[in-house]
Amino acid sequence: MVLVSIAVVLFFFLKDKQALRYALLCLAFFINGYLTYDLIMEYDTNKVYRYIYWAATDILFIAIVAYWALKDKMYMWQSIICQLVVIPAPLLQLFRLVDWHLMDLSYSGYLYRTILPLVNYATVFLCFAPLIYVFGRKAKDSPPPQTNQDLG
Protein backbone atom coordinates (compact mmCIF):
# COMPACT_ATOMS: atom_id res chain seq x y z
CA MET A 1 0.00 0.00 0.00
CA VAL A 2 2.95 2.31 0.62
CA LEU A 3 4.20 2.00 -2.96
CA VAL A 4 0.73 2.58 -4.38
CA SER A 5 0.36 5.64 -2.11
CA ILE A 6 3.62 6.98 -3.53
CA ALA A 7 2.23 6.48 -7.04
CA VAL A 8 -0.93 8.36 -6.09
CA VAL A 9 1.05 11.35 -4.78
CA LEU A 10 3.42 11.27 -7.74
CA PHE A 11 0.69 11.29 -10.38
CA PHE A 12 -1.25 13.92 -8.47
CA PHE A 13 1.70 16.28 -8.76
CA LEU A 14 2.39 15.27 -12.36
CA LYS A 15 -1.30 15.95 -13.09
CA ASP A 16 -1.68 12.69 -14.98
CA LYS A 17 -5.36 11.98 -14.34
CA GLN A 18 -5.43 8.63 -16.11
CA ALA A 19 -2.49 7.23 -14.16
CA LEU A 20 -3.77 8.78 -10.93
CA ARG A 21 -7.17 7.15 -11.39
CA TYR A 22 -5.62 3.68 -11.75
CA ALA A 23 -3.33 4.21 -8.75
CA LEU A 24 -6.29 5.37 -6.64
CA LEU A 25 -8.28 2.32 -7.70
CA CYS A 26 -5.41 0.03 -6.71
CA LEU A 27 -5.07 1.82 -3.39
CA ALA A 28 -8.80 1.49 -2.71
CA PHE A 29 -8.77 -2.24 -3.44
CA PHE A 30 -5.63 -2.85 -1.37
CA ILE A 31 -7.14 -0.93 1.56
CA ASN A 32 -10.37 -2.89 1.17
CA GLY A 33 -8.42 -6.14 1.25
CA TYR A 34 -6.46 -5.06 4.30
CA LEU A 35 -9.54 -3.95 6.23
CA THR A 36 -11.74 -6.93 5.36
CA TYR A 37 -9.19 -9.76 5.65
CA ASP A 38 -9.54 -10.40 9.40
CA LEU A 39 -13.31 -10.04 9.27
CA ILE A 40 -13.63 -12.56 6.45
CA MET A 41 -11.24 -15.00 8.11
CA GLU A 42 -13.18 -14.75 11.39
CA TYR A 43 -16.66 -15.29 9.98
CA ASP A 44 -15.87 -17.74 7.19
CA THR A 45 -15.23 -20.80 9.32
CA ASN A 46 -16.08 -23.19 6.47
CA LYS A 47 -13.37 -21.59 4.30
CA VAL A 48 -15.67 -21.26 1.31
CA TYR A 49 -16.99 -17.71 1.06
CA ARG A 50 -13.59 -16.04 1.34
CA TYR A 51 -12.57 -17.36 -2.08
CA ILE A 52 -15.85 -16.29 -3.65
CA TYR A 53 -15.49 -12.82 -2.11
CA TRP A 54 -11.88 -12.43 -3.22
CA ALA A 55 -12.68 -13.66 -6.73
CA ALA A 56 -15.62 -11.23 -6.91
CA THR A 57 -13.43 -8.28 -5.87
CA ASP A 58 -10.84 -9.22 -8.51
CA ILE A 59 -13.56 -9.43 -11.16
CA LEU A 60 -14.94 -6.06 -10.05
CA PHE A 61 -11.44 -4.57 -10.28
CA ILE A 62 -11.02 -5.92 -13.82
CA ALA A 63 -14.47 -4.63 -14.81
CA ILE A 64 -13.74 -1.11 -13.53
CA VAL A 65 -10.40 -1.02 -15.33
CA ALA A 66 -11.99 -2.19 -18.58
CA TYR A 67 -14.83 0.32 -18.32
CA TRP A 68 -12.48 3.21 -17.58
CA ALA A 69 -10.30 2.33 -20.56
CA LEU A 70 -13.33 2.32 -22.86
CA LYS A 71 -14.33 5.74 -21.52
CA ASP A 72 -10.77 7.14 -21.88
CA LYS A 73 -10.45 7.56 -18.14
CA MET A 74 -7.27 5.49 -18.01
CA TYR A 75 -4.65 4.40 -20.52
CA MET A 76 -5.90 1.64 -22.80
CA TRP A 77 -2.51 -0.10 -22.83
CA GLN A 78 -2.41 -0.03 -19.03
CA SER A 79 -5.92 -1.47 -18.85
CA ILE A 80 -5.14 -4.32 -21.22
CA ILE A 81 -1.96 -5.27 -19.38
CA CYS A 82 -3.77 -5.01 -16.04
CA GLN A 83 -6.57 -7.28 -17.20
CA LEU A 84 -4.09 -9.85 -18.49
CA VAL A 85 -2.15 -9.71 -15.23
CA VAL A 86 -5.15 -9.85 -12.87
CA ILE A 87 -7.30 -12.47 -14.66
CA PRO A 88 -5.39 -15.41 -13.11
CA ALA A 89 -6.32 -14.20 -9.60
CA PRO A 90 -10.09 -14.88 -9.65
CA LEU A 91 -9.53 -18.08 -11.59
CA LEU A 92 -7.01 -19.22 -9.01
CA GLN A 93 -9.32 -18.26 -6.13
CA LEU A 94 -12.10 -20.40 -7.56
CA PHE A 95 -9.70 -23.24 -8.38
CA ARG A 96 -8.45 -23.08 -4.78
CA LEU A 97 -12.02 -23.28 -3.51
CA VAL A 98 -12.79 -26.39 -5.55
CA ASP A 99 -9.41 -28.05 -5.13
CA TRP A 100 -8.60 -27.43 -1.48
CA HIS A 101 -11.92 -27.08 0.27
CA LEU A 102 -14.56 -28.87 -1.77
CA MET A 103 -12.61 -31.82 -3.15
CA ASP A 104 -10.03 -32.02 -0.34
CA LEU A 105 -7.08 -32.10 -2.75
CA SER A 106 -3.92 -30.02 -2.67
CA TYR A 107 -3.02 -29.22 -6.28
CA SER A 108 -3.50 -25.48 -5.87
CA GLY A 109 -1.20 -24.94 -2.88
CA TYR A 110 1.99 -23.97 -4.72
CA LEU A 111 0.16 -22.07 -7.43
CA TYR A 112 -1.79 -20.10 -4.84
CA ARG A 113 1.32 -19.12 -2.87
CA THR A 114 3.31 -18.05 -5.94
CA ILE A 115 0.88 -16.66 -8.50
CA LEU A 116 -1.20 -14.40 -6.22
CA PRO A 117 1.82 -12.47 -4.88
CA LEU A 118 3.11 -12.08 -8.44
CA VAL A 119 -0.26 -10.70 -9.53
CA ASN A 120 -0.18 -8.20 -6.66
CA TYR A 121 3.41 -7.13 -7.45
CA ALA A 122 2.59 -6.70 -11.14
CA THR A 123 -0.51 -4.66 -10.27
CA VAL A 124 1.63 -2.34 -8.14
CA PHE A 125 4.28 -2.13 -10.87
CA LEU A 126 1.58 -1.08 -13.35
CA CYS A 127 0.87 1.91 -11.12
CA PHE A 128 4.34 3.20 -12.04
CA ALA A 129 4.35 2.10 -15.69
CA PRO A 130 2.94 5.44 -16.96
CA LEU A 131 6.16 7.08 -15.75
CA ILE A 132 7.98 5.33 -18.57
CA TYR A 133 5.44 6.79 -20.98
CA VAL A 134 5.65 10.29 -19.45
CA PHE A 135 9.46 10.39 -19.43
CA GLY A 136 9.64 8.91 -22.91
CA ARG A 137 7.27 11.56 -24.22
CA LYS A 138 9.28 14.36 -22.56
CA ALA A 139 12.54 13.01 -23.97
CA LYS A 140 10.98 12.86 -27.43
CA ASP A 141 9.69 16.43 -27.19
CA SER A 142 12.95 17.95 -25.90
CA PRO A 143 15.41 19.34 -28.48
CA PRO A 144 18.56 17.32 -29.13
CA PRO A 145 21.66 18.48 -27.27
CA GLN A 146 24.08 20.69 -29.17
CA THR A 147 27.39 19.26 -30.24
CA ASN A 148 30.67 21.03 -30.97
CA GLN A 149 29.90 20.82 -34.68
CA ASP A 150 26.64 22.72 -34.14
CA LEU A 151 28.53 25.54 -32.43
CA GLY A 152 30.65 26.11 -35.42
Side-chain angles (χ1 to χ4, degrees):
M1 284 193 300
V2 172
L3 288 174
V4 177
S5 299
I6 292 169
V8 167
V9 171
L10 188 64
F11 289 118
F12 176 79
F13 285 115
L14 288 174
K15 297 179 182 171
D16 188 341
K17 290 181 182 180
Q18 292 176 316
L20 176 63
R21 187 172 282 117
Y22 175 74
L24 282 170
L25 181 69
C26 288
L27 184 61
F29 272 82
F30 281 127
I31 289 172
N32 175 58
Y34 177 77
L35 294 176
T36 60
Y37 180 81
D38 291 333
L39 183 68
I40 290 169
M41 298 302 259
E42 181 181 335
Y43 289 108
D44 186 20
T45 56
N46 294 330
K47 298 180 180 179
V48 172
Y49 297 109
R50 66 184 68 181
Y51 299 108
I52 295 169
Y53 173 76
W54 291 330
T57 58
D58 289 335
I59 292 168
L60 178 63
F61 181 82
I62 292 169
I64 291 170
V65 165
Y67 178 76
W68 281 353
L70 291 175
K71 296 296 182 180
D72 289 330
K73 294 184 182 279
M74 74 175 285
Y75 295 114
M76 181 64 79
W77 61 267
Q78 189 179 26
S79 171
I80 292 168
I81 294 171
C82 176
Q83 291 172 59
L84 291 173
V85 164
V86 176
I87 196 66
L91 297 174
L92 190 57
Q93 296 289 359
L94 297 175
F95 176 61
R96 174 81 166 180
L97 171 66
V98 171
D99 174 51
W100 192 260
H101 299 288
L102 298 181
M103 297 182 74
D104 216 13
L105 300 172
S106 61
Y107 296 119
S108 66
Y110 292 115
L111 292 173
Y112 194 79
R113 287 190 297 268
T114 56
I115 292 177
L116 281 182
L118 291 175
V119 167
N120 288 333
Y121 293 140
T123 305
V124 171
F125 172 76
L126 275 172
C127 288
F128 293 95
L131 286 176
I132 298 167
Y133 175 74
V134 168
F135 290 135
R137 188 176 61 205
K138 285 185 180 182
K140 186 178 176 182
D141 293 341
S142 65
Q146 290 186 343
T147 62
N148 289 338
Q149 291 176 347
D150 292 339
L151 297 175

